[in-house]
Amino acid sequence: MKQNIYDEDRIKEQLLDPEEVSNAFSLIVKEYSEQLYWQIRRLVLSHDDANDILQDTFLKAWNNIQYFRGDAKISTWLYKIALNESLAFLNKAKAENNISLDDEDAVIANKLEGDSYFNGDETAVLLQKALHSLPEKQRIVFNLKYYQEMKYEDMSDILGTSVGALKASYHLAVKKIENYFKERL
Amino acid sequence: MKKENEIIDKYAQGNPFSVPEGYFENFSEEMMQKLPPQDFSVLEEEKHSTTWQRIRPWFYMAAMFCGLFFMIEFMLEKTSSIKKVDPVEASKEKQKDQYINDVVDYSMIDNYDTYSFLTESE
């Protein structure tokens, strides 16, 4: 009988069983696709890019499923892959387009305006510009805390940074975003 | 925390991003179809391995350490038995040598005399 309720311990056991691994993985995809999607989307902005990265994330997880260590959380493992994939995508895009910091605001605006799955007003665009003015890691910390309300301890496992440093990073990000708004509104 | 995010809360109302209709509902099924077949031989091997196969490497390692331990123990014992000389016996031996040397000195016997004595006695 196929199991449909997400039970992390049971799924970890099933990942070790060749007959159950496919069913267990489909439950993982169902459980995490939406939250991973939003995390990726806030980093890369466009739906098409987020969709590609999300698929690559699960593909990578599937290809390495045999090496997944059962003592780690499945969510930590997936977030690590998703964030690494997103950062690799952003770095590649930056290198290919050779974007300077001054041009970045215009690039973000164009990207959002060109995306049929973005329905925000001017303030929403300004918020995205403010977020993209942050260093990548600070932006990830802000997104995970503000939008996902993730615990600092879980974030620490994913990002390999101490809780203290993450707290400092979040407060710094909040200050920077507020200053960005104060200067422009 | 709430007060700290006051300004951001004001501008970050609602989610300006959207997705195509039914995107999340269909995602997992479409994703599962895209996954390549996997070779689960490692899992299979792990599943069917006997207890002996699983503990074998640990057993070999333990045996190696035991062997090493006995070898070191044996060598230490050997070295200490060589060095173990009774100080009283050693001193007696030294005194005996000293006595012979003194006798030879006082009797004024040199090597030639000793040689002659030995050949005559034959």
PDB file of all heavy atoms in Angstrom, chain A residues 15 21-22 37 41 47 51 55 62 66 117 119 123 146 170-171 178 185, chain B residues 4-5 9 11 16 18-20 23 31-32 34 36 38-40 42-43:
ATOM      1  N   LEU A  15      14.105   5.311   1.973  1.00  0.00           N
ATOM      2  CA  LEU A  15      15.143   5.722   1.023  1.00  0.00           C
ATOM      3  C   LEU A  15      16.247   4.671   0.919  1.00  0.00           C
ATOM      4  O   LEU A  15      16.995   4.646  -0.055  1.00  0.00           O
ATOM      5  CB  LEU A  15      15.749   7.072   1.435  1.00  0.00           C
ATOM      6  CG  LEU A  15      14.866   8.306   1.269  1.00  0.00           C
ATOM      7  CD1 LEU A  15      15.592   9.548   1.766  1.00  0.00           C
ATOM      8  CD2 LEU A  15      14.439   8.521  -0.182  1.00  0.00           C
ATOM      9  N   VAL A  21      12.106   3.352  -2.542  1.00  0.00           N
ATOM     10  CA  VAL A  21      12.784   4.641  -2.692  1.00  0.00           C
ATOM     11  C   VAL A  21      12.028   5.621  -3.602  1.00  0.00           C
ATOM     12  O   VAL A  21      11.945   6.816  -3.320  1.00  0.00           O
ATOM     13  CB  VAL A  21      14.261   4.437  -3.128  1.00  0.00           C
ATOM     14  CG1 VAL A  21      14.376   3.847  -4.497  1.00  0.00           C
ATOM     15  CG2 VAL A  21      15.033   5.722  -3.047  1.00  0.00           C
ATOM     16  N   SER A  22      11.426   5.095  -4.670  1.00  0.00           N
ATOM     17  CA  SER A  22      10.728   5.967  -5.616  1.00  0.00           C
ATOM     18  C   SER A  22       9.490   6.605  -4.976  1.00  0.00           C
ATOM     19  O   SER A  22       9.261   7.820  -5.120  1.00  0.00           O
ATOM     20  CB  SER A  22      10.338   5.147  -6.843  1.00  0.00           C
ATOM     21  OG  SER A  22       9.798   5.968  -7.801  1.00  0.00           O
ATOM     22  N   TYR A  37      10.483  26.202  -3.985  1.00  0.00           N
ATOM     23  CA  TYR A  37      10.220  27.058  -5.137  1.00  0.00           C
ATOM     24  C   TYR A  37      10.268  28.529  -4.727  1.00  0.00           C
ATOM     25  O   TYR A  37      10.924  29.343  -5.361  1.00  0.00           O
ATOM     26  CB  TYR A  37       8.849  26.729  -5.758  1.00  0.00           C
ATOM     27  CG  TYR A  37       8.448  27.727  -6.832  1.00  0.00           C
ATOM     28  CD1 TYR A  37       8.873  27.559  -8.147  1.00  0.00           C
ATOM     29  CD2 TYR A  37       7.677  28.853  -6.535  1.00  0.00           C
ATOM     30  CE1 TYR A  37       8.541  28.481  -9.129  1.00  0.00           C
ATOM     31  CE2 TYR A  37       7.342  29.779  -7.500  1.00  0.00           C
ATOM     32  CZ  TYR A  37       7.765  29.593  -8.800  1.00  0.00           C
ATOM     33  OH  TYR A  37       7.442  30.515  -9.763  1.00  0.00           O
ATOM     34  N   ARG A  41      12.642  31.292  -6.080  1.00  0.00           N
ATOM     35  CA  ARG A  41      12.018  32.376  -6.853  1.00  0.00           C
ATOM     36  C   ARG A  41      12.426  33.747  -6.331  1.00  0.00           C
ATOM     37  O   ARG A  41      12.675  34.677  -7.093  1.00  0.00           O
ATOM     38  CB  ARG A  41      10.493  32.209  -6.806  1.00  0.00           C
ATOM     39  CG  ARG A  41       9.700  33.283  -7.542  1.00  0.00           C
ATOM     40  CD  ARG A  41       9.597  32.985  -9.019  1.00  0.00           C
ATOM     41  NE  ARG A  41       9.006  34.078  -9.757  1.00  0.00           N
ATOM     42  CZ  ARG A  41       7.708  34.163 -10.068  1.00  0.00           C
ATOM     43  NH1 ARG A  41       6.895  33.193  -9.736  1.00  0.00           N
ATOM     44  NH2 ARG A  41       7.254  35.196 -10.762  1.00  0.00           N
ATOM     45  N   HIS A  47       9.898  33.203 -12.998  1.00  0.00           N
ATOM     46  CA  HIS A  47       9.287  31.886 -12.779  1.00  0.00           C
ATOM     47  C   HIS A  47      10.020  30.796 -13.558  1.00  0.00           C
ATOM     48  O   HIS A  47      10.269  29.712 -13.033  1.00  0.00           O
ATOM     49  CB  HIS A  47       7.808  31.898 -13.185  1.00  0.00           C
ATOM     50  CG  HIS A  47       7.237  30.515 -13.322  1.00  0.00           C
ATOM     51  ND1 HIS A  47       6.986  29.716 -12.224  1.00  0.00           N
ATOM     52  CD2 HIS A  47       6.939  29.763 -14.424  1.00  0.00           C
ATOM     53  CE1 HIS A  47       6.532  28.538 -12.644  1.00  0.00           C
ATOM     54  NE2 HIS A  47       6.495  28.544 -13.970  1.00  0.00           N
ATOM     55  N   ASN A  51      11.688  27.581 -11.898  1.00  0.00           N
ATOM     56  CA  ASN A  51      11.197  26.243 -12.260  1.00  0.00           C
ATOM     57  C   ASN A  51      12.363  25.336 -12.679  1.00  0.00           C
ATOM     58  O   ASN A  51      12.454  24.184 -12.243  1.00  0.00           O
ATOM     59  CB  ASN A  51      10.162  26.378 -13.383  1.00  0.00           C
ATOM     60  CG  ASN A  51       9.599  25.044 -13.792  1.00  0.00           C
ATOM     61  OD1 ASN A  51       9.305  24.202 -12.947  1.00  0.00           O
ATOM     62  ND2 ASN A  51       9.467  24.825 -15.094  1.00  0.00           N
ATOM     63  N   GLN A  55      13.713  21.999 -10.583  1.00  0.00           N
ATOM     64  CA  GLN A  55      13.828  20.669 -11.206  1.00  0.00           C
ATOM     65  C   GLN A  55      15.259  20.128 -11.066  1.00  0.00           C
ATOM     66  O   GLN A  55      15.447  18.952 -10.769  1.00  0.00           O
ATOM     67  CB  GLN A  55      13.444  20.752 -12.678  1.00  0.00           C
ATOM     68  CG  GLN A  55      11.956  20.947 -12.865  1.00  0.00           C
ATOM     69  CD  GLN A  55      11.540  20.874 -14.321  1.00  0.00           C
ATOM     70  OE1 GLN A  55      12.210  20.264 -15.138  1.00  0.00           O
ATOM     71  NE2 GLN A  55      10.434  21.504 -14.637  1.00  0.00           N
ATOM     72  N   TRP A  62      17.951  13.275  -6.377  1.00  0.00           N
ATOM     73  CA  TRP A  62      17.642  11.911  -6.822  1.00  0.00           C
ATOM     74  C   TRP A  62      18.913  11.158  -7.223  1.00  0.00           C
ATOM     75  O   TRP A  62      19.115  10.003  -6.868  1.00  0.00           O
ATOM     76  CB  TRP A  62      16.647  11.978  -7.988  1.00  0.00           C
ATOM     77  CG  TRP A  62      16.371  10.674  -8.657  1.00  0.00           C
ATOM     78  CD1 TRP A  62      16.779  10.286  -9.897  1.00  0.00           C
ATOM     79  CD2 TRP A  62      15.596   9.575  -8.143  1.00  0.00           C
ATOM     80  NE1 TRP A  62      16.320   9.027 -10.185  1.00  0.00           N
ATOM     81  CE2 TRP A  62      15.595   8.562  -9.120  1.00  0.00           C
ATOM     82  CE3 TRP A  62      14.922   9.352  -6.945  1.00  0.00           C
ATOM     83  CZ2 TRP A  62      14.937   7.349  -8.944  1.00  0.00           C
ATOM     84  CZ3 TRP A  62      14.266   8.139  -6.769  1.00  0.00           C
ATOM     85  CH2 TRP A  62      14.279   7.163  -7.770  1.00  0.00           C
ATOM     86  N   GLN A  66      21.557   7.795  -2.936  1.00  0.00           N
ATOM     87  CA  GLN A  66      22.264   6.681  -2.282  1.00  0.00           C
ATOM     88  C   GLN A  66      23.252   7.168  -1.237  1.00  0.00           C
ATOM     89  O   GLN A  66      23.663   6.428  -0.364  1.00  0.00           O
ATOM     90  CB  GLN A  66      23.014   5.860  -3.321  1.00  0.00           C
ATOM     91  CG  GLN A  66      22.079   5.258  -4.337  1.00  0.00           C
ATOM     92  CD  GLN A  66      22.813   4.418  -5.355  1.00  0.00           C
ATOM     93  OE1 GLN A  66      23.870   3.890  -5.086  1.00  0.00           O
ATOM     94  NE2 GLN A  66      22.248   4.282  -6.526  1.00  0.00           N
ATOM     95  N   TYR A 117       4.411  36.435 -14.592  1.00  0.00           N
ATOM     96  CA  TYR A 117       3.971  35.940 -13.285  1.00  0.00           C
ATOM     97  C   TYR A 117       4.423  36.855 -12.143  1.00  0.00           C
ATOM     98  O   TYR A 117       4.636  36.412 -11.025  1.00  0.00           O
ATOM     99  CB  TYR A 117       4.457  34.504 -13.065  1.00  0.00           C
ATOM    100  CG  TYR A 117       3.899  33.563 -14.100  1.00  0.00           C
ATOM    101  CD1 TYR A 117       4.708  33.009 -15.086  1.00  0.00           C
ATOM    102  CD2 TYR A 117       2.539  33.254 -14.105  1.00  0.00           C
ATOM    103  CE1 TYR A 117       4.184  32.174 -16.056  1.00  0.00           C
ATOM    104  CE2 TYR A 117       2.015  32.419 -15.076  1.00  0.00           C
ATOM    105  CZ  TYR A 117       2.840  31.885 -16.046  1.00  0.00           C
ATOM    106  OH  TYR A 117       2.309  31.060 -17.002  1.00  0.00           O
ATOM    107  N   ASN A 119       3.051  40.313 -10.378  1.00  0.00           N
ATOM    108  CA  ASN A 119       1.898  41.223 -10.395  1.00  0.00           C
ATOM    109  C   ASN A 119       2.065  42.391  -9.418  1.00  0.00           C
ATOM    110  O   ASN A 119       1.078  42.974  -8.973  1.00  0.00           O
ATOM    111  CB  ASN A 119       0.614  40.457 -10.006  1.00  0.00           C
ATOM    112  CG  ASN A 119       0.610  39.051 -10.573  1.00  0.00           C
ATOM    113  OD1 ASN A 119       0.743  38.861 -11.770  1.00  0.00           O
ATOM    114  ND2 ASN A 119       0.489  38.052  -9.700  1.00  0.00           N
ATOM    115  N   THR A 123       6.015  49.751  -5.546  1.00  0.00           N
ATOM    116  CA  THR A 123       6.612  49.488  -4.220  1.00  0.00           C
ATOM    117  C   THR A 123       7.182  48.074  -4.160  1.00  0.00           C
ATOM    118  O   THR A 123       8.254  47.858  -3.589  1.00  0.00           O
ATOM    119  CB  THR A 123       5.552  49.658  -3.098  1.00  0.00           C
ATOM    120  OG1 THR A 123       4.766  50.793  -3.388  1.00  0.00           O
ATOM    121  CG2 THR A 123       6.192  49.792  -1.761  1.00  0.00           C
ATOM    122  N   TYR A 146      12.545  36.115   7.180  1.00  0.00           N
ATOM    123  CA  TYR A 146      11.373  36.986   7.063  1.00  0.00           C
ATOM    124  C   TYR A 146      10.196  36.269   6.397  1.00  0.00           C
ATOM    125  O   TYR A 146       9.081  36.305   6.894  1.00  0.00           O
ATOM    126  CB  TYR A 146      11.744  38.248   6.276  1.00  0.00           C
ATOM    127  CG  TYR A 146      10.620  39.263   6.255  1.00  0.00           C
ATOM    128  CD1 TYR A 146      10.417  40.121   7.337  1.00  0.00           C
ATOM    129  CD2 TYR A 146       9.761  39.371   5.159  1.00  0.00           C
ATOM    130  CE1 TYR A 146       9.379  41.050   7.329  1.00  0.00           C
ATOM    131  CE2 TYR A 146       8.722  40.289   5.148  1.00  0.00           C
ATOM    132  CZ  TYR A 146       8.539  41.130   6.234  1.00  0.00           C
ATOM    133  OH  TYR A 146       7.510  42.036   6.227  1.00  0.00           O
ATOM    134  N   TYR A 170      20.948  39.089   9.708  1.00  0.00           N
ATOM    135  CA  TYR A 170      19.539  39.440   9.499  1.00  0.00           C
ATOM    136  C   TYR A 170      19.273  40.893   9.906  1.00  0.00           C
ATOM    137  O   TYR A 170      18.644  41.651   9.160  1.00  0.00           O
ATOM    138  CB  TYR A 170      18.630  38.498  10.297  1.00  0.00           C
ATOM    139  CG  TYR A 170      17.166  38.827  10.156  1.00  0.00           C
ATOM    140  CD1 TYR A 170      16.481  38.536   8.979  1.00  0.00           C
ATOM    141  CD2 TYR A 170      16.470  39.464  11.178  1.00  0.00           C
ATOM    142  CE1 TYR A 170      15.144  38.867   8.833  1.00  0.00           C
ATOM    143  CE2 TYR A 170      15.139  39.802  11.036  1.00  0.00           C
ATOM    144  CZ  TYR A 170      14.478  39.492   9.870  1.00  0.00           C
ATOM    145  OH  TYR A 170      13.154  39.822   9.717  1.00  0.00           O
ATOM    146  N   HIS A 171      19.771  41.282  11.072  1.00  0.00           N
ATOM    147  CA  HIS A 171      19.541  42.656  11.543  1.00  0.00           C
ATOM    148  C   HIS A 171      20.180  43.673  10.607  1.00  0.00           C
ATOM    149  O   HIS A 171      19.610  44.728  10.332  1.00  0.00           O
ATOM    150  CB  HIS A 171      20.055  42.829  12.972  1.00  0.00           C
ATOM    151  CG  HIS A 171      19.278  42.009  13.960  1.00  0.00           C
ATOM    152  ND1 HIS A 171      17.917  42.163  14.112  1.00  0.00           N
ATOM    153  CD2 HIS A 171      19.638  41.023  14.808  1.00  0.00           C
ATOM    154  CE1 HIS A 171      17.482  41.310  15.027  1.00  0.00           C
ATOM    155  NE2 HIS A 171      18.509  40.587  15.450  1.00  0.00           N
ATOM    156  N   GLU A 178      15.667  49.088   5.118  1.00  0.00           N
ATOM    157  CA  GLU A 178      14.973  50.281   5.618  1.00  0.00           C
ATOM    158  C   GLU A 178      15.643  51.561   5.111  1.00  0.00           C
ATOM    159  O   GLU A 178      14.968  52.495   4.688  1.00  0.00           O
ATOM    160  CB  GLU A 178      14.956  50.259   7.145  1.00  0.00           C
ATOM    161  CG  GLU A 178      13.931  49.273   7.678  1.00  0.00           C
ATOM    162  CD  GLU A 178      13.888  49.204   9.189  1.00  0.00           C
ATOM    163  OE1 GLU A 178      14.712  49.871   9.841  1.00  0.00           O
ATOM    164  OE2 GLU A 178      13.016  48.475   9.693  1.00  0.00           O
ATOM    165  N   LEU A 185      12.011  57.067  -0.771  1.00  0.00           N
ATOM    166  CA  LEU A 185      10.577  57.435  -0.649  1.00  0.00           C
ATOM    167  C   LEU A 185      10.389  58.728   0.151  1.00  0.00           C
ATOM    168  O   LEU A 185      11.137  59.022   1.041  1.00  0.00           O
ATOM    169  CB  LEU A 185       9.804  56.286   0.008  1.00  0.00           C
ATOM    170  CG  LEU A 185       9.606  55.036  -0.859  1.00  0.00           C
ATOM    171  CD1 LEU A 185       8.950  53.931  -0.036  1.00  0.00           C
ATOM    172  CD2 LEU A 185       8.735  55.303  -2.084  1.00  0.00           C
TER     173      LEU A 185
ATOM    174  N   GLU B   4      11.048  46.082  14.681  1.00  0.00           N
ATOM    175  CA  GLU B   4      12.226  46.203  13.835  1.00  0.00           C
ATOM    176  C   GLU B   4      11.841  46.106  12.355  1.00  0.00           C
ATOM    177  O   GLU B   4      12.420  46.774  11.515  1.00  0.00           O
ATOM    178  CB  GLU B   4      13.212  45.085  14.189  1.00  0.00           C
ATOM    179  CG  GLU B   4      14.494  45.202  13.427  1.00  0.00           C
ATOM    180  CD  GLU B   4      15.379  43.988  13.639  1.00  0.00           C
ATOM    181  OE1 GLU B   4      14.854  42.862  13.660  1.00  0.00           O
ATOM    182  OE2 GLU B   4      16.570  44.177  13.768  1.00  0.00           O
ATOM    183  N   ASN B   5      10.846  45.254  12.055  1.00  0.00           N
ATOM    184  CA  ASN B   5      10.456  45.042  10.659  1.00  0.00           C
ATOM    185  C   ASN B   5       9.321  45.960  10.202  1.00  0.00           C
ATOM    186  O   ASN B   5       8.784  45.769   9.126  1.00  0.00           O
ATOM    187  CB  ASN B   5      10.006  43.593  10.455  1.00  0.00           C
ATOM    188  CG  ASN B   5      11.138  42.625  10.685  1.00  0.00           C
ATOM    189  OD1 ASN B   5      12.297  42.993  10.559  1.00  0.00           O
ATOM    190  ND2 ASN B   5      10.815  41.412  11.048  1.00  0.00           N
ATOM    191  N   ASP B   9       7.468  45.533   6.740  1.00  0.00           N
ATOM    192  CA  ASP B   9       6.093  44.995   6.753  1.00  0.00           C
ATOM    193  C   ASP B   9       5.149  45.882   5.944  1.00  0.00           C
ATOM    194  O   ASP B   9       4.235  45.394   5.277  1.00  0.00           O
ATOM    195  CB  ASP B   9       5.577  44.886   8.194  1.00  0.00           C
ATOM    196  CG  ASP B   9       6.263  43.764   8.959  1.00  0.00           C
ATOM    197  OD1 ASP B   9       6.879  42.908   8.309  1.00  0.00           O
ATOM    198  OD2 ASP B   9       6.200  43.765  10.202  1.00  0.00           O
ATOM    199  N   TYR B  11       5.806  47.655   3.310  1.00  0.00           N
ATOM    200  CA  TYR B  11       5.983  47.565   1.849  1.00  0.00           C
ATOM    201  C   TYR B  11       5.940  46.136   1.302  1.00  0.00           C
ATOM    202  O   TYR B  11       5.837  45.934   0.105  1.00  0.00           O
ATOM    203  CB  TYR B  11       7.307  48.221   1.439  1.00  0.00           C
ATOM    204  CG  TYR B  11       7.339  49.691   1.772  1.00  0.00           C
ATOM    205  CD1 TYR B  11       8.177  50.186   2.757  1.00  0.00           C
ATOM    206  CD2 TYR B  11       6.488  50.578   1.104  1.00  0.00           C
ATOM    207  CE1 TYR B  11       8.195  51.535   3.078  1.00  0.00           C
ATOM    208  CE2 TYR B  11       6.494  51.933   1.423  1.00  0.00           C
ATOM    209  CZ  TYR B  11       7.339  52.394   2.407  1.00  0.00           C
ATOM    210  OH  TYR B  11       7.338  53.728   2.724  1.00  0.00           O
ATOM    211  N   PRO B  16       3.852  39.378  -4.529  1.00  0.00           N
ATOM    212  CA  PRO B  16       3.673  39.874  -5.899  1.00  0.00           C
ATOM    213  C   PRO B  16       3.962  38.818  -6.974  1.00  0.00           C
ATOM    214  O   PRO B  16       3.658  39.014  -8.149  1.00  0.00           O
ATOM    215  CB  PRO B  16       4.681  41.014  -5.993  1.00  0.00           C
ATOM    216  CG  PRO B  16       5.754  40.652  -5.020  1.00  0.00           C
ATOM    217  CD  PRO B  16       5.099  39.879  -3.928  1.00  0.00           C
ATOM    218  N   SER B  18       3.527  35.156  -8.810  1.00  0.00           N
ATOM    219  CA  SER B  18       2.506  34.114  -8.976  1.00  0.00           C
ATOM    220  C   SER B  18       3.077  32.979  -9.829  1.00  0.00           C
ATOM    221  O   SER B  18       4.186  33.101 -10.366  1.00  0.00           O
ATOM    222  CB  SER B  18       1.257  34.705  -9.638  1.00  0.00           C
ATOM    223  OG  SER B  18       1.590  35.196 -10.918  1.00  0.00           O
ATOM    224  N   VAL B  19       2.326  31.919  -9.950  1.00  0.00           N
ATOM    225  CA  VAL B  19       2.769  30.756 -10.750  1.00  0.00           C
ATOM    226  C   VAL B  19       1.650  30.356 -11.715  1.00  0.00           C
ATOM    227  O   VAL B  19       0.489  30.705 -11.471  1.00  0.00           O
ATOM    228  CB  VAL B  19       3.126  29.554  -9.839  1.00  0.00           C
ATOM    229  CG1 VAL B  19       4.351  29.823  -9.002  1.00  0.00           C
ATOM    230  CG2 VAL B  19       1.963  29.165  -8.952  1.00  0.00           C
ATOM    231  N   PRO B  20       1.982  29.637 -12.776  1.00  0.00           N
ATOM    232  CA  PRO B  20       0.920  29.174 -13.685  1.00  0.00           C
ATOM    233  C   PRO B  20      -0.098  28.319 -12.934  1.00  0.00           C
ATOM    234  O   PRO B  20       0.254  27.677 -11.937  1.00  0.00           O
ATOM    235  CB  PRO B  20       1.675  28.328 -14.719  1.00  0.00           C
ATOM    236  CG  PRO B  20       3.083  28.747 -14.613  1.00  0.00           C
ATOM    237  CD  PRO B  20       3.314  29.214 -13.227  1.00  0.00           C
ATOM    238  N   TYR B  23       0.325  24.722 -11.119  1.00  0.00           N
ATOM    239  CA  TYR B  23       1.763  24.439 -11.174  1.00  0.00           C
ATOM    240  C   TYR B  23       2.201  23.484 -10.050  1.00  0.00           C
ATOM    241  O   TYR B  23       2.814  22.449 -10.313  1.00  0.00           O
ATOM    242  CB  TYR B  23       2.557  25.749 -11.110  1.00  0.00           C
ATOM    243  CG  TYR B  23       4.051  25.560 -11.002  1.00  0.00           C
ATOM    244  CD1 TYR B  23       4.793  25.085 -12.085  1.00  0.00           C
ATOM    245  CD2 TYR B  23       4.735  25.829  -9.810  1.00  0.00           C
ATOM    246  CE1 TYR B  23       6.162  24.904 -11.989  1.00  0.00           C
ATOM    247  CE2 TYR B  23       6.102  25.649  -9.714  1.00  0.00           C
ATOM    248  CZ  TYR B  23       6.811  25.184 -10.798  1.00  0.00           C
ATOM    249  OH  TYR B  23       8.176  24.999 -10.691  1.00  0.00           O
ATOM    250  N   MET B  31       7.681  15.915 -12.242  1.00  0.00           N
ATOM    251  CA  MET B  31       9.075  15.761 -11.794  1.00  0.00           C
ATOM    252  C   MET B  31       9.450  14.284 -11.731  1.00  0.00           C
ATOM    253  O   MET B  31      10.519  13.882 -12.188  1.00  0.00           O
ATOM    254  CB  MET B  31       9.217  16.415 -10.413  1.00  0.00           C
ATOM    255  CG  MET B  31      10.632  16.492  -9.891  1.00  0.00           C
ATOM    256  SD  MET B  31      11.614  17.687 -10.776  1.00  0.00           S
ATOM    257  CE  MET B  31      13.029  16.719 -11.212  1.00  0.00           C
ATOM    258  N   MET B  32       8.550  13.474 -11.180  1.00  0.00           N
ATOM    259  CA  MET B  32       8.830  12.046 -11.026  1.00  0.00           C
ATOM    260  C   MET B  32       9.012  11.372 -12.392  1.00  0.00           C
ATOM    261  O   MET B  32       9.797  10.444 -12.531  1.00  0.00           O
ATOM    262  CB  MET B  32       7.724  11.343 -10.240  1.00  0.00           C
ATOM    263  CG  MET B  32       7.677  11.697  -8.756  1.00  0.00           C
ATOM    264  SD  MET B  32       9.241  11.586  -7.878  1.00  0.00           S
ATOM    265  CE  MET B  32       9.457   9.826  -7.778  1.00  0.00           C
ATOM    266  N   LYS B  34      10.314  12.785 -14.947  1.00  0.00           N
ATOM    267  CA  LYS B  34      11.582  13.246 -15.538  1.00  0.00           C
ATOM    268  C   LYS B  34      12.809  12.572 -14.908  1.00  0.00           C
ATOM    269  O   LYS B  34      13.917  12.709 -15.415  1.00  0.00           O
ATOM    270  CB  LYS B  34      11.711  14.760 -15.366  1.00  0.00           C
ATOM    271  CG  LYS B  34      10.875  15.535 -16.346  1.00  0.00           C
ATOM    272  CD  LYS B  34      11.020  17.018 -16.125  1.00  0.00           C
ATOM    273  CE  LYS B  34      10.001  17.740 -17.016  1.00  0.00           C
ATOM    274  NZ  LYS B  34       9.822  19.115 -16.642  1.00  0.00           N
ATOM    275  N   PRO B  36      15.632  10.086 -14.074  1.00  0.00           N
ATOM    276  CA  PRO B  36      16.213   8.939 -14.790  1.00  0.00           C
ATOM    277  C   PRO B  36      16.193   7.688 -13.917  1.00  0.00           C
ATOM    278  O   PRO B  36      16.217   7.801 -12.684  1.00  0.00           O
ATOM    279  CB  PRO B  36      17.650   9.392 -15.063  1.00  0.00           C
ATOM    280  CG  PRO B  36      17.942  10.364 -13.975  1.00  0.00           C
ATOM    281  CD  PRO B  36      16.653  11.045 -13.626  1.00  0.00           C
ATOM    282  N   GLN B  38      17.441   4.736 -11.726  1.00  0.00           N
ATOM    283  CA  GLN B  38      18.629   4.715 -10.856  1.00  0.00           C
ATOM    284  C   GLN B  38      19.147   3.297 -10.674  1.00  0.00           C
ATOM    285  O   GLN B  38      18.364   2.347 -10.665  1.00  0.00           O
ATOM    286  CB  GLN B  38      18.254   5.256  -9.481  1.00  0.00           C
ATOM    287  CG  GLN B  38      18.383   6.738  -9.363  1.00  0.00           C
ATOM    288  CD  GLN B  38      19.745   7.126  -8.830  1.00  0.00           C
ATOM    289  OE1 GLN B  38      20.776   6.645  -9.305  1.00  0.00           O
ATOM    290  NE2 GLN B  38      19.778   7.988  -7.854  1.00  0.00           N
ATOM    291  N   ASP B  39      20.454   3.197 -10.512  1.00  0.00           N
ATOM    292  CA  ASP B  39      21.045   1.898 -10.194  1.00  0.00           C
ATOM    293  C   ASP B  39      21.163   1.806  -8.670  1.00  0.00           C
ATOM    294  O   ASP B  39      21.980   2.497  -8.065  1.00  0.00           O
ATOM    295  CB  ASP B  39      22.443   1.796 -10.838  1.00  0.00           C
ATOM    296  CG  ASP B  39      23.164   0.540 -10.412  1.00  0.00           C
ATOM    297  OD1 ASP B  39      22.484  -0.420 -10.014  1.00  0.00           O
ATOM    298  OD2 ASP B  39      24.407   0.522 -10.478  1.00  0.00           O
ATOM    299  N   PHE B  40      20.299   0.999  -8.097  1.00  0.00           N
ATOM    300  CA  PHE B  40      20.280   0.914  -6.640  1.00  0.00           C
ATOM    301  C   PHE B  40      21.093  -0.274  -6.122  1.00  0.00           C
ATOM    302  O   PHE B  40      20.779  -0.834  -5.076  1.00  0.00           O
ATOM    303  CB  PHE B  40      18.838   0.845  -6.119  1.00  0.00           C
ATOM    304  CG  PHE B  40      18.123   2.152  -6.253  1.00  0.00           C
ATOM    305  CD1 PHE B  40      17.043   2.281  -7.102  1.00  0.00           C
ATOM    306  CD2 PHE B  40      18.555   3.253  -5.544  1.00  0.00           C
ATOM    307  CE1 PHE B  40      16.388   3.491  -7.231  1.00  0.00           C
ATOM    308  CE2 PHE B  40      17.899   4.474  -5.668  1.00  0.00           C
ATOM    309  CZ  PHE B  40      16.813   4.588  -6.514  1.00  0.00           C
ATOM    310  N   VAL B  42      23.910  -0.365  -4.799  1.00  0.00           N
ATOM    311  CA  VAL B  42      24.540  -0.098  -3.501  1.00  0.00           C
ATOM    312  C   VAL B  42      23.541  -0.375  -2.379  1.00  0.00           C
ATOM    313  O   VAL B  42      23.856  -1.031  -1.393  1.00  0.00           O
ATOM    314  CB  VAL B  42      25.034   1.372  -3.412  1.00  0.00           C
ATOM    315  CG1 VAL B  42      25.593   1.652  -2.033  1.00  0.00           C
ATOM    316  CG2 VAL B  42      26.083   1.639  -4.473  1.00  0.00           C
ATOM    317  N   LEU B  43      22.293   0.131  -2.590  1.00  0.00           N
ATOM    318  CA  LEU B  43      21.256  -0.095  -1.584  1.00  0.00           C
ATOM    319  C   LEU B  43      20.947  -1.580  -1.472  1.00  0.00           C
ATOM    320  O   LEU B  43      20.791  -2.124  -0.396  1.00  0.00           O
ATOM    321  CB  LEU B  43      19.964   0.644  -1.961  1.00  0.00           C
ATOM    322  CG  LEU B  43      20.005   2.175  -1.959  1.00  0.00           C
ATOM    323  CD1 LEU B  43      18.631   2.713  -2.294  1.00  0.00           C
ATOM    324  CD2 LEU B  43      20.431   2.701  -0.606  1.00  0.00           C
TER     325      LEU B  43
END
